[in-house]
Amino acid sequence: QVQLVESGGGLVQAGGSLRLSCATSGRTLSLYNMGWFRQAPGKEREFVASIRWNADRTYYSDSVRGRFTVSRDNAKNTVYLQMNSLKPEDTAIYYCNIVRGSAYNYPADDSWGQGTQVTVSS
């Protein structure tokens, strides 16, 4: 329902950092639990991280926990993903979406945006 635009991707060397943004100029994001997902070629889209609507809790996949940090600024209708200590395995297109479920790791909408490409060189 919310039109989301991902940005901030790029090419970075292993060990480097990148910050992704997920923003909308339409409906406010303040009412939604938001998550980040990624998809590499030939693989299914997978959960990366999520944050509750009021930012009181965050959730991470085992593969990124300790390296990535999800945050949000509801006043700016923006969700962020700070990616540190990047690895080649992190290479994928990154998407944001509303999340649902008790684990806050399941997309609520099958309609995905353009995503933003993250490429990590070895």
Side-chain angles (χ1 to χ4, degrees):
Q1 304 86 6
V2 179
Q3 297 183 84
L4 303 170
V5 178
E6 302 92 344
S7 63
L11 175 64
V12 64
Q13 190 175 6
S17 298
L18 214 54
R19 190 181 77 162
L20 308 184
S21 297
C22 171
T24 180
S25 60
R27 295 177 62 185
T28 179
L29 297 180
S30 62
L31 297 177
Y32 302 98
N33 304 315
M34 298 297 300
W36 286 94
F37 301 80
R38 66 187 182 186
Q39 186 171 27
K43 296 183 178 180
E44 294 186 11
R45 187 177 285 109
E46 65 176 353
F47 168 78
V48 176
S50 63
I51 184 168
R52 280 171 45 85
W53 67 274
N54 62 350
D56 63 338
R57 295 288 297 275
T58 56
Y59 306 85
Y60 299 93
S61 68
D62 291 339
S63 62
V64 307
R65 187 177 294 108
R67 299 187 298 120
F68 292 7
T69 302
V70 62
S71 61
R72 69 191 301 162
D73 186 341
N74 285 341
K76 296 181 178 179
N77 279 339
T78 304
V79 181
Y80 304 96
L81 184 67
Q82 179 66 47
M83 310 164 68
N84 298 327
S85 301
L86 283 163
K87 304 175 180 179
E89 306 92 88
D90 297 317
T91 295
I93 301 177
Y94 284 70
Y95 303 87
C96 61
N97 208 337
I98 300 169
V99 295
R100 62 180 176 89
S102 60
Y104 296 89
N105 65 350
Y106 200 82
D109 196 341
D110 278 338
S111 180
W112 300 86
Q114 62 177 351
T116 185
Q117 177 71 51
V118 172
T119 303
V120 184
S121 62
S122 60

